[in-house]
Amino acid sequence: MNLDAKVPGGPLEDKWDRHKKDLRLVSPANKRKFDVIIVGSGLAGASAAASLAELGYNVSCFCFQDSPRRAHSIAAQGGINAAKNYQNDGDSSWRLFHDTIKGGDFRAREGNVYRLAQVSANIIDQCVAQGVPFAREYGGLLANRSFGGAQVSRTFYARGQTGQQLLIGAYQALERQIGKGTVTMYSRHEMLELVVVNGRARGIVARDLVTGEMQSFAAHTVVLGTGGYGNAFYLSTNAKGCNVTAAYRAYKKGAGFANPCFTQIHPTCIPVAGDFQSKLTLMSESLRNDGRVWVPKRAGDTRKPADIPEAERDYYLERKYPSYGNLAPRDIASRAAKEACDDGLGVGPGGRGVFLDFSSAIKRLGEDTIRERYGNLFEMYERITDENPYQTPMRIYPAVHYTMGGLWVDYNLMSNLPGLHVIGEANFSDHGANRLGASALMQGLADGYFILPYTIGDYLAGAKLEAVDTSHQAFRDAETEANARLGKLLAIDGTRSVDSFHKELGHILWEKCGMARDRAGLQEALARIPALRAEFWENVKVPGSAETLNQSLEKAGRVADFLEFGELMCSDALIREESCGGHFRTEYQTEDGEALRDDDRFAHAAVWEYQGENQTPVRHIEPLTFEFVKLATRSYK
Amino acid sequence: MKLTLKVWRQPGPKATGKFVQYSTTADEHMSFLEMLDVVNEELLAKGDEPIAFDHDCREGICGSCALMINGAPHGPRKATTTCQLHMRTFKDGDTIVIEPWRAAAFPVLRDLVVDRTALDRIIAVGGYISAPTGSAQDGNAIPIPKEDSDLAMDAASCIGCGACVAACPNASAMLFTAAKVSHLGRLPQGQPERDRRVLAMVQQMDEEGFGGCTNYGECQEACPKDISVENIARMNRDWVRATLSDRGEAVASAGTG
């Protein structure tokens, strides 16, 4: 497997600018001769589709929702980072880069991350120009707040609906192109196969989710912006439809899957209420600017929070991490919450919760200011829990949120499979082992607006691509394969629902490959998942037919992929004998319980290569070299 | 709590639909959609096909969920999407009628799932600011009064669910369209295309088969994001202004391009 990252040499600050000069161009008259398929319409997919269509490429964009505006990026609440230094607090591209590298526990590529920090400022400008109503100061200038893992205020936001507004900006830019006829939009379509011709990605097979029709689409290059795989855990903050299928099918066709064990657990979610729970709701990390996290000092303290005096509360984040306090990064804050609950200090039903308390902020700033800052989040919390957070502290608990692993890509955002580009959460590139708050939106838009439009031209200008259309045998084969899979699922006619398998898989992954992992647990998961998968293929019940809108069938295909992918995730976690970011192996920790990295053995991206059905995949590595930052123990104390 | 559900079942776009009755037991902490998940598991166990309904984020923001509950879009609780509606809103022994959005412009695809792509087409004719990637000036170069930005955000918080259409006796998409017109029209960046935008979007709304607004105000009542009918007044004013201005005429004769 060729894992040449193609990061340009030379000074960090100049890499991207110099690379842009070296990238080949496609002439305006030739751009329309190139067909580009983009799968996914979130921040990455929609911004890429709009930008490439503006440039003149002939774009087709696919999403499984009824409208591109519903992609899960829309649910991101808190904000988007950009090194604008509008606050005069000493921010710079360098600092954003440094925070991101450190936040990712030194498991991301320096070159990529610096570029992300550089273009972050342009993203804000672009979005403002599109009419994204960012929060403003009374003087009319853009407002900022701070987020976990940063000591400057560089996060731009639109109330608690930042993802929504950024996505709507990109969606409107996309709709503009659809209106002009430069993008053909296929909503309610799901990609089920990647088509590879002569070693290059040349198209996809997608199912029309309304009619059930399997269709082939050919192109000169394929872009996946299909998000993450957090729903492997069943309960997560992801939308119910988020899945790994597109990325996994690409993996099966030869694209390397990097760092699948890196999952971010978000510390501020609403705790699980019962067995019927279908998803977990995240409360924006921005709440930790004003909310103080605490638990009672005494185990089994069932008094109302208001009745517990200050002296009997443990503000554990402020105590353990005085310089970052409640704004400690997500992995650290999550693990600290788990430890408090494991010690019997958890609050609420089942003891799986900690308090996020706004009483001192309300006292200091007044309820109106708090309402202004977080009103919609408070309302949402009250609606779900039936508790009023202005009067009593919120209860929060960590939940699976974002996946840092994904398909391996080089500096040009192309996978090892030529012609397959991967952007946003679907790739592995910029967050290392942990993602800092407000950096996912930044990466999705950086990739789609500012990086891919340059690098895709280089591929198209340089590749000698023969004419391929959907009559090619590779498309026939892929359609046959996809149809056979659906037929097989429908024919099993067993006794267990798809959801019951998904829940069981999720339970295994959460317990054994969640916030903390160890060798024995991972080995157990690696024994249980194949058994569960075998049962799935013998005993799943998928009603209906493939010729109609069939939501059970859609789910079944996705869960079938999660059942394979979950194993890959555990294998990756087992081999990575160190703790870093979202990957915490309990065997590898310092005396005071912090993550213990092993840079000598694991300062690399682990990239898995598929070997065929029931064959052990091969693990390759891309070594990570740190020229510009010193590999240091990550400390937020 | 024990519940009786009367659910609209329709196997496909051209099939005839009918109400089917189900009984189920729900926990008060369940969301409405989690209650339906449980019903679907029960149906599956009996060998029946589950009820198809649209949903995705289950956080009240994606706008996918679209159920008419006891005659009200998203159910009885004000400013709440179906996914954020909890069963504690209902009582033991209740009968709940569940239907799809009803509007000629939203054809039923199956059971409770309707086709809302007409809303996307309204955006595609002008619901944007033409700002090509890469040419933007510094974000702070155009100061925007906080009040304007906040009002734009109020309108921009529309989730495009279509509840306004479902609630309107005329199946009008005025609130949806007006929210977009207001969002962009409140901002300095939105001015150059303001006339063209409103004319094109209103025309498309008509072409899609949405009805006209007769000021019932049901849309505002049903809106899960509390979007105000003031936006409709604003759109009407913009529309009249655009119709009377030279730019408006130029657009009207040149089409909606």
Side-chain angles (χ1 to χ4, degrees), chain A residues 125-282:
Chain A
D125 302 338
Q126 177 68 27
C127 296
V128 168
Q130 288 172 342
V132 170
F134 283 118
R136 300 229 165 214
E137 306 291 355
Y138 282 102
L141 303 180
L142 291 154
N144 286 110
R145 58 189 176 197
S146 45
F147 249 57
Q151 287 173 314
V152 292
S153 269
R154 62 160 74 102
T155 306
F156 295 78
Y157 61 101
R159 292 199 187 134
Q161 289 128 273
T162 316
Q164 178 196 30
Q165 292 310 314
L166 297 176
L167 180 64
I168 286 177
Y171 155 78
Q172 286 171 184
L174 171 60
E175 286 296 338
R176 175 172 168 240
Q177 298 303 320
I178 294 170
K180 288 175 156 185
T182 55
V183 175
T184 310
M185 186 71 216
Y186 296 90
S187 57
R188 291 198 198 270
H189 275 68
E190 180 157 55
M191 170 185 155
L192 292 184
E193 287 296 337
L194 179 74
V195 179
V196 179
V197 177
N198 292 338
R200 292 179 188 272
R202 293 303 302 268
I204 63 168
V205 168
R207 179 169 177 264
D208 179 330
L209 298 178
V210 177
T211 64
E213 192 191 347
M214 202 68 79
Q215 294 164 292
S216 284
F217 300 88
H220 295 89
T221 180
V222 176
V223 181
L224 299 186
T226 49
Y229 47 82
N231 268 348
F233 290 83
Y234 186 74
L235 283 184
S236 83
T237 65
N238 289 276
K240 294 295 285 175
C242 295
N243 64 83
V244 76
T245 290
Y248 197 72
R249 298 299 162 83
Y251 161 72
K252 283 188 149 182
K253 286 279 158 68
F257 208 113
N259 301 333
C261 78
F262 288 171
T263 300
Q264 181 173 79
I265 315 279
H266 196 290
T268 51
C269 302
I270 300 178
V272 174
D275 293 337
F276 48 79
Q277 195 94 18
S278 62
K279 74 155 286 168
L280 297 171
T281 300
L282 179 146

Side-chain angles (χ1 to χ4, degrees), chain A residues 463-584:
Chain A
K464 290 203 167 44
L465 297 168
E466 73 273 37
V468 168
D469 63 27
T470 56
S471 62
H472 193 282
Q473 189 56 33
F475 285 90
R476 298 283 79 76
D477 293 346
E479 277 187 35
T480 308
E481 207 176 320
N483 274 319
R485 198 175 169 85
L486 297 186
K488 200 169 156 192
L489 287 166
L490 289 163
I492 297 166
D493 198 28
T495 59
R496 272 187 76 176
S497 70
V498 173
D499 270 355
S500 78
F501 283 101
H502 195 179
K503 276 185 192 178
E504 189 174 338
L505 172 70
H507 188 73
I508 296 171
L509 290 176
W510 176 247
E511 291 298 325
K512 307 298 174 192
C513 196
M515 258 187 287
R517 302 107 190 249
D518 64 20
R519 187 170 297 108
L522 290 164
Q523 282 166 343
E524 188 193 324
L526 286 170
R528 283 170 65 189
I529 295 170
L532 186 65
R533 188 164 66 235
E535 193 198 337
F536 176 87
W537 285 104
E538 278 162 21
N539 195 25
V540 75
K541 168 99 183 159
V542 185
S545 79
E547 282 80 48
T548 56
L549 194 160
N550 185 340
Q551 294 174 331
S552 304
L553 184 60
E554 293 166 27
K555 262 198 291 197
R558 295 167 192 165
V559 171
D561 288 335
F562 280 138
L563 281 163
E564 292 182 26
F565 178 74
E567 193 176 334
L568 190 65
M569 207 182 220
C570 294
S571 303
D572 191 44
L574 183 64
I575 292 180
R576 190 172 278 278
E577 293 175 327
E578 64 163 350
S579 293
C580 57
H583 167 71
F584 192 80

Side-chain angles (χ1 to χ4, degrees), chain A residues 612-628:
Chain A
E613 212 71 46
N614 297 318
Q615 304 287 312
T616 311
V618 174
R619 183 180 187 270
H620 302 271
I621 62 166
E622 181 208 330
L624 295 169
T625 48
F626 293 89
E627 260 184 273
F628 302 95

Side-chain angles (χ1 to χ4, degrees), chain B residues 87-224:
Chain B
M87 295 313 292
R88 63 180 78 94
T89 313
F90 299 90
K91 292 194 305 290
D92 186 41
D94 273 359
T95 296
I96 305 174
V97 181
I98 309 172
E99 297 163 83
W101 279 178
R102 285 179 292 182
F106 290 163
V108 174
L109 298 176
R110 181 172 192 150
D111 295 341
L112 306 168
V113 178
V114 301
D115 179 356
R116 286 172 284 187
T117 47
L119 299 182
D120 292 323
R121 290 188 290 271
I122 293 175
I123 300 295
V125 298
Y128 48 75
I129 288 167
S130 298
T133 301
S135 59
Q137 60 182 329
D138 186 88
N140 262 349
I142 317 169
I144 302 174
K146 184 177 185 311
E147 295 79 0
D148 291 357
S149 177
D150 284 351
L151 287 166
M153 181 63 213
D154 287 345
S157 62
C158 167
I159 58 173
C161 65
C164 46
V165 177
C168 177
N170 303 332
S172 165
M174 286 287 268
L175 192 65
F176 167 83
T177 310
K180 188 50 60 191
V181 165
S182 288
H183 159 208
L184 300 174
R186 289 269 186 202
L187 299 169
Q189 306 91 305
Q191 298 313 309
E193 291 168 304
R194 190 167 157 187
D195 290 354
R196 174 185 293 267
R197 176 181 307 120
V198 68
L199 291 173
M201 290 179 82
V202 168
Q203 187 183 332
Q204 187 66 28
M205 213 168 66
D206 291 343
E207 283 173 16
E208 293 291 344
F210 293 103
C213 173
T214 40
N215 298 317
Y216 279 91
E218 292 282 345
C219 51
Q220 177 179 289
E221 284 305 300
C223 177

